[in-house]
Amino acid sequence: MKVKGVRLYGAEDLRTEEFDLPELQEDEILLRIISDSLCMSTWKESKLGAEHIRVPNDVSEHPIIIGHEFSGVIAKVGSKWKEEYKEGERFAVLPGIPGYMGAPGYSFPYFGGDVTYCIIPGDIIEKGCLLHYSGQTFYEVSMAEPIYCIIGGFHSNFHTTDQSYEKPIGVKPGGNTIILGGCGPMGLGAVSYALALEPDKRPGRIVVTEVNSDRLKRAEEVISKAYAAEKNVELLYVSTANCGDESELLMELTGGYGYDDVFIFAPIRRLAETGNKILAMDGCMNLFAGPADKAFSAEMNLYDCHYRRTKIIGSSGGSKQDLLDALELISSKKLDPSLMITHIGGIDAIAEATKNLPQIPGGKKLMYLPIEMPLTAITDFRKKGETNELFRMLADSCDSHNGLWNPEAEDILLKYFDVTF
């Protein structure tokens, strides 16, 4: 069958095109993609091409479909899976394939999120990567993938116990957590997740740093200090623009104690070095943001690593349980991923938006595969609505939900373009 999608042919070579899918095999399943959220990891992939660790060396001859934060409905089921999966049901996909470096959106010619239909291979289904989903929205599934990465990051952190080799997993309960460069979409997701933890697992203080004043302002609007206080967590947003030695400023906020858990949400050497300086005794620093530069490095204090038990780790993706936890948190309304979304677009806007992702302000860019629509900031809906009925309706819906994307807005968009499933 003929489909339309965005494929990678090499470094900075993304093409929106029509191409044919092969005939579905008995151990495969055909997925219809409704939404996909653009990820900075895909931008890095598009910059590196075959130099990316997950991209095949022969990508120029066998292009791959990009996109890994996708959702939709099952369109056709191979005979092997007829008892387990049903046509028309919604799904979620675990992007981190157990025991395999490759991933959807990076490594497969017919399996990825930025396309109208794709095929999930039989061996990937065998690994438990195709999950049933009974929710009512598509965007929440797309946003579950970045949340699952955040959960994986939190689960990667660990601490030690005196006179024991036990290593408690997670951020230190009641401790100091800091998210450096944390007012982007992933940082806000991390704050939301920390506040959604059970009371006995939450940090006592969360500090979020940022240099961009607009991001700081929006962060305080969507996750207020008062809301965090209701969770018995002190939430501090700190501008580190032109502050001199930011490590001194950040240490003062803890009375000189330091931070039990440090998350680096932008791959910047200065941030990594600051994070290392402000670690408390037995502190854990997580390089969450993946660098594009394979030689990325920074000065680290190894004396503290030895005598003060500080730890430096990195995390990428998560486990199947992390994705299930993300979906549960979203469906139970304990965590609202809408606060991460700032732009909406269609399939025709994906390639250009991906190429320029770092230069486009705001948070997550949510794309709907069955439609064509320019990438549009939610804050621009009202102005566009003066001459466009769709944007007027979307503006009304988002305004009634604190300026955020929401189930009603998604329904309006899909009905307007007569998307049925």
Side-chain angles (χ1 to χ4, degrees):
M1 64 181 293
K2 193 167 289 294
V3 298
K4 183 178 181 180
V6 182
R7 297 199 287 183
L8 176 76
Y9 282 79
E12 301 191 57
D13 189 358
L14 289 178
R15 306 179 197 178
T16 304
E17 57 192 1
E18 290 189 346
F19 56 94
D20 290 313
L21 292 183
E23 183 177 346
L24 192 72
Q25 301 301 303
E26 64 177 17
D27 66 338
E28 298 175 334
I29 292 178
L30 180 69
L31 306 177
R32 184 185 182 193
I33 312 302
I34 302 297
S35 68
D36 183 65
S37 174
L38 304 187
C39 179
M40 277 297 294
S41 295
T42 304
W43 172 78
K44 295 168 191 171
E45 169 193 4
S46 71
K47 295 290 289 184
L48 294 173
E51 291 297 311
H52 193 285
I53 192 170
R54 298 187 190 275
V55 176
N57 292 330
D58 63 350
V59 67
S60 61
E61 290 81 31
H62 302 284
I64 57 93
I65 301 169
I66 65 168
H68 58 275
E69 299 180 358
F70 57 96
S71 70
V73 296
I74 292 176
K76 189 175 180 180
V77 181
S79 59
K80 178 177 178 177
W81 303 105
K82 289 289 187 180
E83 296 300 315
E84 183 170 347
Y85 299 98
K86 304 301 179 185
E87 294 175 5
E89 74 167 297
R90 303 189 185 204
F91 67 83
V93 168
L94 177 65
I97 303 168
Y100 188 63
M101 178 56 71
Y106 297 90
S107 316
F108 297 91
Y110 305 118
F111 180 33
D114 288 331
V115 67
T116 50
Y117 291 82
C118 77
I119 295 173
I120 178 167
D123 60 335
I124 306 304
I125 304 172
E126 290 275 7
K127 290 178 179 290
C129 294
L130 183 61
L131 310 181
H132 300 280
Y133 175 68
S134 58
Q136 298 303 306
T137 69
F138 294 104
Y139 77 87
E140 289 180 321
V141 179
S142 285
M143 300 309 298
E145 195 281 339
I147 297 296
Y148 125 100
C149 291
I150 290 166
I151 295 174
F154 273 64
H155 286 169
S156 297
N157 273 36
F158 68 95
H159 298 277
T160 59
T161 305
D162 284 340
Q163 303 303 310
S164 170
Y165 290 111
E166 293 183 2
K167 296 178 174 60
I169 297 297
V171 297
K172 186 174 182 179
N176 294 322
T177 291
I178 188 167
I179 304 171
L180 295 172
C183 286
M186 297 299 284
L188 294 180
V191 176
S192 296
Y193 175 68
L195 295 176
L197 290 169
E198 294 299 319
D200 62 344
K201 296 185 182 298
R202 292 175 196 149
R205 177 186 290 122
I206 302 173
V207 177
V208 186
T209 73
E210 181 59 61
V211 295
N212 185 294
S213 59
D214 290 335
R215 283 191 169 194
L216 271 169
K217 181 174 181 293
R218 183 175 185 271
E220 294 197 53
E221 290 173 350
V222 297
I223 310 178
S224 69
K225 298 176 184 178
Y227 173 74
E230 293 175 4
K231 305 280 190 177
N232 294 317
V233 176
E234 180 185 14
L235 176 60
L236 301 173
Y237 292 105
V238 179
S239 172
T240 53
N242 305 314
C243 73
D245 187 345
E246 60 187 5
S247 62
E248 290 186 9
L249 169 66
L250 298 174
M251 286 294 289
E252 288 175 5
L253 297 177
T254 68
Y257 172 84
Y259 294 85
D260 304 290
D261 295 276
V262 175
F263 292 91
I264 311 298
F265 268 63
I268 299 171
R269 176 172 177 153
R270 175 183 56 80
L271 281 187
E273 292 179 345
T274 294
N276 185 243
K277 289 178 182 177
I278 61 177
L279 282 169
M281 172 72 78
D282 192 41
C284 186
M285 185 177 90
N286 187 321
L287 183 63
F288 182 86
D293 180 5
K294 292 182 179 180
F296 181 72
S297 60
E299 291 280 346
M300 296 288 113
N301 189 322
L302 300 182
Y303 178 94
D304 283 355
C305 183
H306 182 87
Y307 286 105
R308 303 183 72 241
R309 305 199 310 273
T310 59
K311 295 162 285 292
I312 304 166
I313 66 170
S315 63
S316 177
S319 70
K320 182 177 180 177
Q321 187 59 52
D322 293 333
L323 182 56
L324 292 172
D325 288 347
L327 291 168
E328 193 280 328
L329 286 170
I330 292 169
S331 64
S332 64
K333 309 301 180 186
K334 294 179 181 178
L335 188 156
D336 183 5
S338 300
L339 59 85
M340 301 170 70
I341 302 169
T342 59
H343 292 68
I344 306 297
I347 189 172
D348 53 319
I350 291 174
E352 197 63 24
T354 300
K355 292 176 186 176
N356 297 286
L357 210 49
Q359 285 74 50
I360 305 174
K364 297 292 284 186
K365 284 69 183 175
L366 179 68
M367 319 305 280
Y368 285 90
L369 278 300
I371 72 171
E372 291 191 356
M373 174 178 153
L375 183 68
T376 308
I378 293 174
T379 53
D380 290 339
F381 284 175
R382 181 61 63 192
K383 179 65 175 177
K384 288 181 175 290
E386 295 174 2
T387 57
N388 185 294
E389 178 66 10
L390 170 62
F391 286 112
R392 183 194 66 76
M393 293 188 292
L394 292 176
D396 289 344
S397 178
C398 292
D399 286 350
S400 68
H401 289 79
N402 196 32
L404 301 177
W405 193 245
N406 59 85
E408 178 191 52
E410 180 175 84
D411 190 53
I412 290 170
L413 182 71
L414 295 178
K415 285 183 176 177
Y416 183 88
F417 285 97
D418 197 28
V419 178
T420 58
F421 34 83

